[in-house]
Amino acid sequence: MISASDVSAGYDGQMIVHGAGLHVDSGEVLGLIGPNGSGKSTFLKTLYAALRPRAGLVTVDGQPIGELRGTALARRVAVVAQESPGDLPVTVAETVLLGRSPHRGALASFTVEDHRTAASALRMLEVRHLADRSYATLSGGEKQRVLMARALAQQADHLLLDEPTNHLDIRYQHELLDLVGRLGLTTVVVLHDLNLAARYCTKLVLLSEGRIVAAGTPVEVLKPELLNEVYGITVEQVYTDGCLQLLFSMPSEQLGVGTLDLEH
Amino acid sequence: MWWVLGLGMMLAVTMLLAVGLGPVAVPLDTVLRIFSGQVSGESQAATWSTSEESIVMLLRTPRVLLGAAVGAGLALCGVALQALTRNILAEPYLLGVTSGASAVSASVILFGAGAGIGSVSLASGAFLGALGAGIAVFLLARVGSQMTSVRLVLAGVSVGYVLNALTSLLIFASDDPNAGRSVLFWTLGSLTQATGTSALTTWAAVVLALVMLLYRARPLDALASGDATAQTLGISPTKLRAAVMIVTALCVGALVAASGGIGFVGLIVPHIARLCVGATHRTLLPVAALLGAIFLVWADVLARVLVAPQELPLGIVTALLGAPLLFVLVRRLNSNS
């Protein structure tokens, strides 16, 4: 269970999230949605203590996150963040094994069990064959799946994902989110694709300009008039096989607004 | 583990051979007999000359010991700083410590600050200069409570430039026509000042650094993958950077004080070690240290035999040996990506 109440956070004196809150029960998948720059990633960072909120409280299973720093937190909360990898040659196997480090002391070796856990995480994400490749040489989608495997190797019961479907082709996007649903972990996932959010999340929280404008089930949150107000785009709801799907179109007055002349 | 054992034995053989090599060659069996004579305290059966004994015991042994310590230390600090900055071009002198040591030692050599206390004041001045520069880089790189790798690199480069300019200014302002030459010898590095004491203190600093870095081996793995990765695995990147920076600044300070700024070892050896055993720091750190020690001992052998009885500054030899290796690495890097 993860709870956040009245969280305000930002960088260098600039506030990005204002009084936001959410509650995810055990085993639920909560989707965090909103336009670019609405504060989704910033809000997510406060949920794994990468960013200390200026105000408000975040708890994991009822315990304030501030009391759970370091590896104790990493054993309970696994994260796939948006990463800017360096250029040191680390292999895929080494990258995934790192997920086991919160479970081992500073000088202890990884056990056979650690290697087994890492290998099964690689299999779950269908990247076992890449184990000996250098992480830097992978495609964007492969990297994303390897980072997901590392988070699973952490064996935490909470999972935080920042745009995990980035760089994935359409099949892997569905496979990954389907897997997330089947894992049964308490999950918060930042998503851009509203149709994926509608399909795979049990709850949604919609952020706009750092504030929460709607929270509830996908049907409650993904209302055409609300999305039109937040994203400035026309939305139509359709149901296929009982699933909510959204169709988007630009309002005619929005078309042709951007200038094509690069010199001015 | 096999790498560590194998390289350890290779280092032992290297050091034994290196003690015998120089402008005056001492055969290996004589070296061994001198050593065993020293250990057992028996000298009646001496089959070697006193000059051979003093070359081995007073000149070469401290020098080889110091060379191995400096090589190991530079490689260790290179590995640590490349992980901290996630930059394959990072090296121990990135923190500006060599420039700090050179600037202070230049002022000691040229203007006799602290003159009369001799080499002790030169070494401790260099150590203080190195530490001062390290602290300046640390303070510059730290904004608020954050210290990113880009800030660290930029702060190191800018402090290095300022201190190098200061060193050049000191040489320029000096009346001594040999000033440039004596300072150059320092900035290029040399093991000629080696004594038993300097070898032992340098070894102590290097072993301490190795232990402290090994203790942080796994956090370094995480940091090498990215700040976000480190954070999600329960490691504070800023705290880790600060801790590792203090360890490396102290270690490099001790190395520079003993031998000047020997270039290339800290840049090239970590890459070779990564090719051998991969990027996991638990094995990378000891393997890089052993490779660095072997590399520098042999480089120093070349420095003293190539133009004997003259000696080349060690930094020139390491650069001439290291640059071709770097070219090979550059080619490999291109073909991989």
Side-chain angles (χ1 to χ4, degrees):
Chain A
M1 185 181 76
I2 297 178
S3 283
S5 54
D6 284 327
V7 167
S8 296
Y11 308 94
D12 300 330
Q14 192 196 349
M15 293 306 263
I16 293 171
V17 175
H18 308 274
L22 56 75
H23 180 88
V24 211
D25 276 322
S26 296
E28 266 189 333
V29 179
L30 182 141
L32 211 49
I33 54 172
N36 290 139
S38 59
K40 301 182 296 292
S41 296
T42 308
F43 188 24
L44 194 78
K45 277 186 186 169
T46 66
L47 303 184
Y48 61 96
L51 185 65
R52 194 189 300 225
R54 299 287 169 78
L57 181 69
V58 176
T59 62
V60 174
D61 291 335
Q63 198 172 2
I65 204 165
E67 296 173 7
L68 265 176
R69 296 307 277 265
T71 49
L73 180 62
R75 284 195 292 270
R76 313 243 322 244
V77 182
V79 187
V80 176
Q82 292 189 37
E83 186 68 276
S84 53
D87 41 14
L88 296 177
V90 191
T91 68
V92 167
E94 286 165 348
T95 304
V96 175
L97 259 179
L98 265 184
R100 300 301 302 155
S101 59
H103 297 271
R104 299 286 167 253
L107 296 174
S109 315
F110 287 122
T111 61
V112 177
E113 192 200 328
D114 289 328
H115 284 273
R116 219 174 273 151
T117 309
S120 76
L122 281 168
R123 264 194 303 274
M124 251 193 260
L125 274 300
E126 297 177 33
V127 281
R128 182 80 174 85
H129 61 289
L130 301 176
D132 297 323
R133 283 268 299 275
S134 162
Y135 177 79
T137 63
L138 302 184
S139 76
E142 289 168 336
K143 280 181 183 167
Q144 196 67 23
R145 283 185 284 148
V146 169
L147 293 183
M148 184 72 191
R150 186 181 67 209
L152 294 190
Q154 236 169 299
Q155 292 189 310
D157 43 14
H158 302 83
L159 188 59
L160 305 181
L161 309 170
D162 196 350
E163 297 185 28
T165 53
N166 258 359
H167 307 292
L168 294 183
D169 66 35
I170 188 77
R171 192 192 116 209
Y172 279 124
Q173 290 183 13
H174 282 270
E175 273 192 11
L176 183 110
L177 289 175
D178 176 62
L179 174 69
V180 167
R182 286 186 288 119
L183 288 169
L185 304 175
T186 309
T187 307
V188 179
V189 51
V190 172
L191 282 174
H192 266 303
D193 188 319
L194 301 182
N195 281 316
L196 289 175
R199 184 158 192 156
Y200 293 104
C201 298
T202 44
K203 263 189 194 170
L204 291 180
V205 166
L206 174 60
L207 276 165
S208 176
E209 293 173 1
R211 289 172 215 281
I212 288 177
V213 291
T217 63
V219 177
E220 287 166 349
V221 173
L222 299 173
K223 295 211 171 94
E225 59 277 20
L226 186 60
L227 295 179
N228 181 275
E229 196 182 311
V230 171
Y231 287 91
I233 195 161
T234 307
V235 180
E236 194 184 329
Q237 286 188 333
V238 291
Y239 284 86
T240 49
D241 299 334
C243 281
L244 171 64
Q245 290 284 292
L246 303 172
L247 299 175
F248 306 99
S249 58
M250 284 289 275
S252 53
E253 66 269 21
Q254 293 277 321
L255 294 171
V257 171
T259 175
L260 292 175
D261 190 348
L262 288 175
E263 284 184 27
H264 298 285
Chain B
M1 200 61 211
W2 291 113
W3 275 100
V4 175
L5 280 175
L7 287 172
M9 284 196 280
M10 216 159 121
L11 176 62
V13 173
T14 292
M15 287 168 77
L16 271 180
L17 291 176
V19 169
L21 294 170
V24 179
V26 182
L28 182 61
D29 60 319
T30 311
V31 171
L32 288 172
R33 272 185 279 122
I34 292 174
F35 280 149
S36 65
Q38 288 287 323
V39 172
S40 63
E42 293 168 22
S43 55
Q44 73 274 26
T47 52
W48 57 84
S49 65
T50 47
S51 71
E52 278 179 326
E53 178 165 337
S54 55
I55 284 173
V56 168
M57 292 316 297
L58 298 178
L59 290 178
R60 299 262 176 82
T61 303
R63 185 163 174 165
V64 167
L65 280 173
L66 179 66
V70 170
L74 288 174
L76 271 183
C77 295
V79 168
L81 287 170
Q82 287 175 1
L84 274 202
T85 56
R86 279 199 295 286
N87 189 328
I88 51 170
L89 284 178
E91 53 142 357
Y93 306 138
L94 174 79
L95 298 179
V97 287
T98 334
S99 319
S102 305
V104 173
S105 45
S107 62
V108 175
I109 293 170
L110 300 176
F111 298 98
I117 319 171
S119 66
V120 174
S121 96
L122 190 59
S124 49
F127 181 67
L128 290 178
L131 263 194
I135 291 168
V137 172
F138 181 81
L139 293 176
L140 265 179
R142 201 178 155 91
V143 178
S145 61
Q146 296 286 310
M147 181 159 58
T148 61
S149 52
V150 175
R151 271 187 203 143
L152 197 58
V153 173
L154 285 177
V157 169
S158 50
V159 167
Y161 269 116
V162 169
L163 290 169
N164 285 341
L166 192 68
T167 308
S168 306
L169 184 70
L170 287 172
I171 295 170
F172 190 68
S174 155
D175 299 328
D176 183 356
N178 290 321
R181 211 181 158 82
S182 53
V183 174
L184 190 67
F185 202 75
W186 185 268
T187 53
L188 285 174
S190 162
L191 296 171
T192 48
Q193 307 287 323
T195 61
T197 323
S198 73
L200 284 181
T201 46
T202 311
W203 264 112
V206 171
V207 169
L208 201 65
L210 176 65
V211 170
M212 292 174 83
L213 290 174
L214 269 180
Y215 189 72
R216 293 180 175 80
R218 222 166 268 146
L220 280 174
D221 288 343
L223 195 67
S225 298
D227 276 26
T229 301
Q231 254 164 356
T232 61
L233 295 172
I235 297 147
S236 158
T238 301
K239 277 187 197 157
L240 179 62
R241 281 207 178 92
V244 173
M245 237 188 101
I246 291 167
V247 172
T248 47
L250 287 171
C251 182
V252 179
L255 302 181
V256 171
S259 64
I262 299 167
F264 257 92
V265 184
L267 174 66
I268 200 83
V269 173
H271 293 300
I272 298 171
R274 259 188 228 102
L275 283 181
C276 297
V277 295
T280 308
H281 285 86
R282 259 169 81 92
T283 39
L284 179 60
L285 286 165
V287 165
L290 288 167
L291 278 175
I294 293 168
F295 179 83
L296 198 63
V297 171
W298 282 118
D300 187 48
V301 168
L302 290 179
R304 50 178 196 257
V305 296
L306 279 182
V307 290
Q310 293 281 309
E311 245 188 60
L312 281 171
L314 189 48
I316 292 178
V317 180
T318 56
L320 287 178
L321 285 178
L325 286 172
L326 193 61
F327 296 154
V328 174
L329 282 174
V330 170
R331 303 289 302 180
R332 266 189 74 99
L333 217 62
N334 276 342
S335 60
N336 277 353
S337 56

